[in-house]
Amino acid sequence: MTTILYMGSALLAFALAAATTPLIGRLAARVGMLDIPGGRRNHPRPIPRPGGLSIAIAFGLTIAAFWLVDRFTGGPFLIPEEVRSPRFTTTALAALLGMTVGFIDDAFELRARWQFLGLAIVSAIVIGAGIRIDFIDDPLGSGLIQLVTPVAVAFTFFWIVGMNVALNFIDGLDGLAAGVAAIAAATLGAIALLPQVSEPFVAWMAFTLAGATIGFLLFNFHPARLFMGSTGVVFVGTMLAVLSIFGTAKVAAALLVLGVPIIDTFYVLVRRVFQRQPPFAPDRGHFHHRLLDVGLTHPQAVLIIYALTLGFGALAFVTTGRTQVFAFAGAVVLFGVAVVVLAQRTTKAKELDPALYADEADRV
């Protein structure tokens, strides 16, 4: 029964996202929510910005449809008892907050400081609703470390905001953020089904999120017909952060499976600080830009990062929390070496084509 629920939810969310995404695109064009080419925006034509709204709509409609069927039948029919959870309300709150903050950004094109304030508000409300990281895996042992309340609150705040910032930073190529998010959601869903984790509610939410994101990706892969926008980024980022918090075993797993955007964000922020640039100032120094600069095409760069994410996801699935932490630490080192090597090639690319770097920026 749970298998039917997971597969049915993922497929329905996929179909709804595939059906609603073009409608969202037309509506966005009608009200003028478009990314206009020019400056650092080098796409050939105006493209609807809040395309990720279809992910949120498909996700919400799917969950609502299953709940309504069970409500009308008077008991567990499509949703087995073991999948039901009181955390549904807090999950729905987090999803709604993420979608709302992202949509406001897409509507008014807020500056980075106001985007960060919006993420801080989302995090504060989610924490106030009782979603916190109270335990983490002990990297030096096989047990758990309990966090005192102030540390738990600070760590959870950093986790939710950081997840959104990392996903936002990687949203610089068509289909990149959506594809990475879909892989991460599917991986978290699979991990939630492991006997040592046993979180069927999280699996249901994660598989539904993956299905909706893949349905949107049909229109977002290069050349994109819609952008994910802050609506999609903050909605998906908040959901991934919250779902990974439910169950201590998934925080380390999420850290690993989202290793590419998280580590990329870390190195970008460190570089900007050392260069005395604002932390959220846009530039052309992200990992996906480095891949383009060494001669890869847009789809090739995206597919390589997909492959890395799949590899990290597989590693997260077959390892435990302690091993996942060490694997992530190793990935940080290897990623740093790769960035240095690619940066050398980027210097040569800049010398060959200076015009490409005249306005160093990306969509962050």
Side-chain angles (χ1 to χ4, degrees):
M1 195 65 188
T2 53
T3 301
I4 294 175
L5 173 67
Y6 300 146
M7 294 183 62
S9 293
L11 290 174
L12 179 58
F14 171 84
L16 288 173
T20 58
T21 297
L23 300 178
I24 295 296
R26 287 195 287 270
L27 180 61
R30 181 168 297 183
V31 300
M33 295 180 69
L34 298 170
D35 238 31
I36 307 299
R40 62 188 178 92
R41 298 182 172 99
N42 57 9
H43 40 278
R45 57 182 175 78
I47 295 179
R49 191 166 51 244
L53 182 61
S54 63
I55 301 175
I57 291 174
F59 177 87
L61 289 178
T62 298
I63 300 300
F66 279 80
W67 274 106
L68 287 174
V69 169
D70 268 30
R71 186 174 181 84
F72 286 134
T73 56
F77 177 64
L78 293 177
I79 308 172
E81 194 63 44
E82 64 268 22
V83 180
R84 296 168 178 268
S85 171
R87 295 173 298 190
F88 175 76
T89 302
T90 52
T91 303
L93 172 65
L96 181 61
L97 285 171
M99 181 189 71
T100 302
V101 169
F103 188 78
I104 291 173
D105 182 29
D106 282 329
F108 298 102
E109 296 191 73
L110 304 176
R111 299 184 67 177
R113 69 187 67 172
W114 298 113
Q115 295 175 24
F116 184 83
L117 177 61
L119 295 178
I121 292 173
V122 170
S123 301
I125 295 175
V126 168
I127 293 170
I131 300 175
R132 283 191 335 207
I133 302 173
D134 291 312
F135 299 89
I136 60 173
D137 291 291
D138 184 356
L140 302 178
S142 58
L144 298 174
I145 299 175
Q146 183 173 2
L147 304 178
V148 296
T149 299
V151 175
V153 169
F155 187 37
T156 306
F157 181 89
F158 178 79
W159 179 254
I160 296 173
V161 172
M163 184 74 75
N164 279 285
V165 170
L167 199 61
N168 188 31
F169 272 23
I170 205 173
D171 187 28
L173 298 180
D174 295 347
L176 183 53
V180 168
I183 295 170
T187 303
L188 289 177
I191 291 173
L193 295 179
L194 293 174
Q196 64 268 31
V197 180
S198 188
E199 290 279 0
F201 171 76
V202 173
W204 180 32
M205 296 290 111
F207 289 139
T208 305
L209 181 63
T213 307
I214 294 172
F216 165 76
L217 189 58
L218 296 176
F219 303 89
N220 182 238
F221 198 78
H222 187 71
R225 294 166 56 183
L226 296 93
F227 288 149
M228 196 172 182
S230 292
T231 307
V233 168
V234 182
F235 171 77
V236 174
T238 302
M239 287 300 299
L240 288 174
V242 168
L243 293 177
S244 63
I245 291 173
F246 292 149
T248 55
K250 293 184 297 301
V251 172
L255 193 68
L256 184 56
V257 72
L258 287 164
V260 173
I262 290 174
I263 299 172
D264 178 60
T265 298
F266 170 75
Y267 279 114
V268 166
L269 292 178
V270 169
R271 176 176 52 78
R272 290 175 183 174
V273 169
F274 275 105
Q275 293 178 352
R276 297 183 179 180
Q277 297 176 345
F280 299 103
D283 62 23
R284 195 183 167 83
H286 290 286
F287 182 62
H288 50 270
H289 290 134
R290 305 294 190 190
L291 293 177
L292 293 177
D293 293 338
V294 299
L296 295 180
T297 65
H298 191 130
Q300 286 173 341
V302 171
L303 290 175
I304 283 179
I305 296 178
Y306 283 1
L308 289 172
T309 305
L310 282 169
F312 284 142
L315 188 59
F317 184 76
V318 300
T319 56
T320 61
R322 181 183 180 185
T323 308
Q324 289 164 354
V325 171
F326 285 126
F328 178 78
V332 171
V333 175
L334 293 176
F335 198 94
V337 173
V339 167
V340 170
V341 173
L342 290 174
Q344 300 302 316
R345 297 289 298 275
T346 299
T347 301
K348 296 179 181 179
K350 187 172 182 178
E351 293 172 353
L352 292 173
D353 190 4
L356 184 64
Y357 297 83
D359 182 17
E360 292 189 341
D362 58 7
R363 296 197 305 272
V364 302

